[in-house]
């Protein structure tokens, strides 16, 4: 099987790339790496993140390894459509916090000939697919699943273990309340 990694501006077509994985798997780092390369190539890049995610910075996307890139915080996917008119490349971080309307928006952008690069958590802390990520993975041309390392056994990890008690689907800005775990070591908290 040959792995395809897009390197260039779309030629008369757009496309969608999704980087999906658990926490601590390097999703945002990979998003930043791709967008930086587009910038170096003098492409017009715009980056968005949802309002819910205000950890570290309101005007940047920041990876756990402290790489960062300027970003625009938006509440709804329709704002992304509005603010992407002049962009060739559109980056979206923490896509799991957007509504399912994001699927239509990224399809429209790709249909207009733009490259859309999306990063997000594909599973919640229970191991249940986190909308709209399943739908985004389905409409994307290119998919990368990033794996972390299980803190318990050292195997490749694709799940996010919550280590404190809460029934909220998301605890924002609480990275120390989570661990990367493999299938064998992950459990659903009560
Ligand atoms: Zn494990």
């Amino acid at each position: 099987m040959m792995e395809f990694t897009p390197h260039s501006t779309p030629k008369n077509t757009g496309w969608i790339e999704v980087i999906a994985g658990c926490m601590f798997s390097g999703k945002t780092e990979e998003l930043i790496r791709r967008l930086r390369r587009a910038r170096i190539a003098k492409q017009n890049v715009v980056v968005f993140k949802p309002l819910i995610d205000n950890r570290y910075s309101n005007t940047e996307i920041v990876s756990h390894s402290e790489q960062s890139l300027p970003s625009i915080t938006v509440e709804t996917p329709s704002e992304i459509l509005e603010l992407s008119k002049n962009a060739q490349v559109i980056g979206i971080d923490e896509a799991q916090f957007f509504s399912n309307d994001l699927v239509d928006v990224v399809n429209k952008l790709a249909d207009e000939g733009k490259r859309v690069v999306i990063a997000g958590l594909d599973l919640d802390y229970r191991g249940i697919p986190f909308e709209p990520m399943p739908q985004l993975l389905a409409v994307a041309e290119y998919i990368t699943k990033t794996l972390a390392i299980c803190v318990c056994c050292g195997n490749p990890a694709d799940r996010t273990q919550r280590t404190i008690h809460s029934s909220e689907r998301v605890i924002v800005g609480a990275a120390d309340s989570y661990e990367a775990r493999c299938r064998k070591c992950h459990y659903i908290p009560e």
Side-chain angles (χ1 to χ4, degrees):
M1 195 183 75
M2 193 169 68
E3 192 182 345
F4 179 88
T5 308
H7 289 289
S8 61
T9 310
K11 301 241 183 321
N12 306 317
T13 184
W15 70 66
I16 298 168
E17 299 164 37
V18 173
I19 305 159
C22 62
M23 284 179 72
F24 314 109
S25 64
K27 296 182 300 295
T28 301
E29 209 170 333
E30 176 60 16
L31 176 68
I32 290 171
R33 189 186 71 84
R34 292 185 195 182
L35 298 176
R36 279 222 172 113
R37 290 187 345 159
R39 281 218 167 142
I40 289 164
K42 310 251 187 288
Q43 295 172 359
N44 190 340
V45 178
V46 63
V47 189
F48 299 97
K49 65 176 182 177
L51 183 61
I52 190 168
D53 180 40
N54 53 13
R55 67 180 171 189
Y56 307 126
S57 167
N58 279 316
T59 53
E60 291 176 316
I61 56 169
V62 183
S63 71
H64 290 295
S65 60
E66 295 181 347
Q67 299 272 340
S68 68
L69 209 61
S71 68
I72 302 170
T73 303
V74 292
E75 279 185 69
T76 63
S78 59
E79 292 172 68
I80 296 176
L81 207 54
E82 277 299 304
L83 297 167
S84 296
K85 294 217 162 77
N86 300 319
Q88 294 166 283
V89 181
I90 294 127
I92 301 169
D93 198 17
E94 303 282 9
Q96 77 279 358
F97 292 144
F98 284 107
S99 70
N100 279 333
D101 295 344
L102 185 61
V103 182
D104 276 348
V105 165
V106 297
N107 262 328
K108 263 182 203 152
L109 292 168
D111 288 346
E112 288 171 10
K114 300 174 191 295
R115 174 187 176 196
V116 186
V117 191
I118 303 164
L121 271 181
D122 52 355
L123 299 173
D124 70 9
Y125 72 98
R126 298 163 297 177
I128 294 170
F130 209 147
E131 304 79 25
M133 292 301 289
Q135 291 80 0
L136 293 168
L137 285 160
V139 299
E141 275 88 347
Y142 308 109
I143 295 167
T144 302
K145 182 135 176 171
T146 50
L147 296 174
I149 295 169
C150 177
V151 297
C152 299
C153 73
N155 272 320
D158 72 335
R159 311 209 168 201
T160 304
Q161 181 68 54
R162 180 172 289 176
T163 55
I164 59 164
H165 179 75
S166 169
S167 55
E168 299 289 311
R169 195 169 196 192
V170 173
I171 310 171
V172 176
D176 55 354
S177 310
Y178 294 98
E179 287 175 358
R181 298 265 183 108
C182 73
R183 179 185 294 276
K184 188 171 60 109
C185 300
H186 177 266
Y187 66 93
I188 300 168
E190 293 179 17

